[in-house]
Amino acid sequence: MAETAPRGERLNIGLFGRRNVGKSSLLNALCAQQISIVSDTAGTTTDAVSKIYELIPVGPVTFFDTAGIDDTGKIGKLRIAATRKIINKVDIALLITDENGIGEHENDLMKTFNDLKVPFILVFNKSDLIGKLPGKEPACPFISVCAATGNNIEALKQLIKDTVPEHLKNAPALVRDLIREGQTIVCVAPIDSSAPKGRLILPQVQVIRDILDANAYAYVVQNDQDFLKILPNLKTPPALVITDSQLIRQVNAVVPPEIALTTFSTLFARYKGDLKLLYEGAAELMKLNGNDRVLIAEACSHHAQDDDIARVKIPSLIRKKLGEDIHFEWSAGSDFPADLQKFKVVIHCGGCMLSRLETLRRLNECARNRVPVTNFGMALSAMQGVLNRVVQPFGLSK
Ligand code: SF4
């Protein structure tokens, strides 16, 4: 159900609007339960409340109920800033208004949604009070509902489904389009000190599941030496080897050239983002020199270990290969710098916790600022001289 779908696979839906237009009541009506505190007092939702839910007929979603966009005072301004950050996360926005119709705040939010290309639905709540729509009919998708009575809530769910962007409906496959039923695929998943205790990491789990969904067979080994041990046992050679990028140099050395080889990061570059853009970014990375500035961006915050890939491994490798004076800056979580122009290259994490749209928004920001962008794994492949091999299964190598 919704709770078991990875965060990045759920549709993010935000509820935005002034205080007291009924955002929290609407969330409760959509989920048919009491999630958000509902009160007639304006400003009851002070920080964004998120709720994971299986929204039939849409599928697994995360709802974000946000603070009123017309909040006041010092704290109010901070809440508005937090609400604006949520806009960057969502795939679809519900802009809720009431009998007061569309005013300055609604127009301001609609402009932001349009600028960020966030599809939105204008929801006139309190239809029992409104009677007919206040003002003229809007040009965007809209609906009149009553959260208190449940009137038209099912129609709103259907409208949400109809508003899901095409590129999310037709997201690229993870791996199954590269393989056929009955083929054997070998995954190289190192279990080292950076691996989480007792489980595989999410990208590995998702790839293995996609292989099984294709009715192919997944062999999982820990490293290049284990690969060499199992190879003679396979009746037919594997159709594809997928390795953790941190072992790409070693695995590349033992996988015969006639067997296709790629990395989990390359698969995710296509699945979550834009493989061609990230491939070109990795090629640009190799041109770094002098005092060039590099941004290393991670989509979530975590405690950095001694051999942390973002803080230690990638910077050391780049400095060793391309220049000791290359300068690094880091961003984590929902913070993604606005002044991207100062960077020569952005290296982003795989974004396993981001939705495809959140990832694409970040990549588009880099492209808009004309800053090449790649991901951690593709950067490692480029620096080990195997970038062209890992993109070959996608018909991209030069
Ligand atoms: S930093 Fe990026 S790749 Fe790592 S867990 Fe977070 S979202 Fe996933």
Side-chain angles (χ1 to χ4, degrees), residues 7-241:
R7 179 200 173 288
E9 301 299 306
R10 287 183 244 121
L11 195 69
N12 290 334
I13 303 175
L15 289 86
F16 302 93
R18 284 175 282 111
R19 290 171 294 168
N20 217 22
V21 291
K23 297 185 292 299
S24 304
S25 308
L26 184 64
L27 175 55
N28 290 338
L30 280 165
C31 299
Q33 54 184 278
Q34 189 79 10
I35 295 155
S36 285
I37 301 163
V38 177
S39 152
D40 286 340
T41 312
T44 310
T45 305
T46 51
D47 292 310
V49 174
S50 67
K51 167 68 188 166
I52 295 168
Y53 190 70
E54 184 76 24
L55 185 70
I56 294 166
V58 181
V61 302
T62 304
F63 280 115
F64 292 91
D65 183 13
T66 62
I69 201 74
D70 60 339
D71 212 337
T72 53
K74 229 177 175 177
I75 303 285
K77 281 210 174 84
L78 292 175
R79 288 179 192 145
I80 292 171
T83 293
R84 291 199 177 275
K85 271 192 181 176
I86 299 287
I87 298 177
N88 278 311
K89 270 181 185 290
V90 299
D91 302 305
I92 294 177
L94 304 182
L95 170 50
I96 298 129
T97 186
D98 54 9
E99 66 272 28
N100 294 314
I102 301 168
E104 179 196 339
H105 294 293
E106 287 74 20
N107 279 321
D108 180 47
L109 276 173
M110 285 195 272
K111 182 175 177 323
T112 308
F113 296 148
N114 283 327
D115 287 350
L116 292 171
K117 298 190 171 57
V118 177
F120 65 94
I121 300 168
L122 191 50
V123 182
F124 292 92
N125 189 23
K126 308 184 185 174
S127 58
D128 49 335
L129 300 179
I130 295 175
K132 65 181 179 61
L133 283 184
K136 65 175 188 200
E137 210 169 84
C140 61
F142 68 95
I143 191 166
S144 212
V145 304
C146 180
T149 62
N151 183 39
N152 243 5
I153 294 296
E154 290 308 313
L156 172 58
K157 290 179 186 174
Q158 185 57 46
L159 189 54
I160 293 171
K161 185 173 182 225
D162 297 342
T163 308
V164 175
E166 278 308 310
H167 65 86
L168 292 182
K169 283 183 197 159
N170 304 317
L174 187 45
V175 66
R176 72 178 83 166
D177 61 324
L178 302 176
I179 60 182
R180 288 199 310 276
E181 185 174 341
Q183 286 183 327
T184 299
I185 318 302
V186 178
C187 298
V188 184
I191 306 296
D192 55 20
S193 60
S194 59
K197 199 166 184 287
R199 64 178 170 87
L200 295 175
I201 59 173
L202 184 57
Q204 295 162 350
V205 172
Q206 285 182 266
V207 167
I208 292 168
R209 172 60 195 258
D210 212 42
I211 293 168
L212 297 178
D213 281 342
N215 290 319
Y217 307 113
Y219 251 90
V220 185
V221 297
Q222 288 199 45
N223 51 42
D224 50 312
Q225 294 310 309
D226 285 352
F227 173 78
L228 283 176
K229 282 182 206 153
I230 62 140
L231 196 55
N233 299 338
L234 298 174
K235 271 194 180 155
T236 51
L240 178 66
V241 177

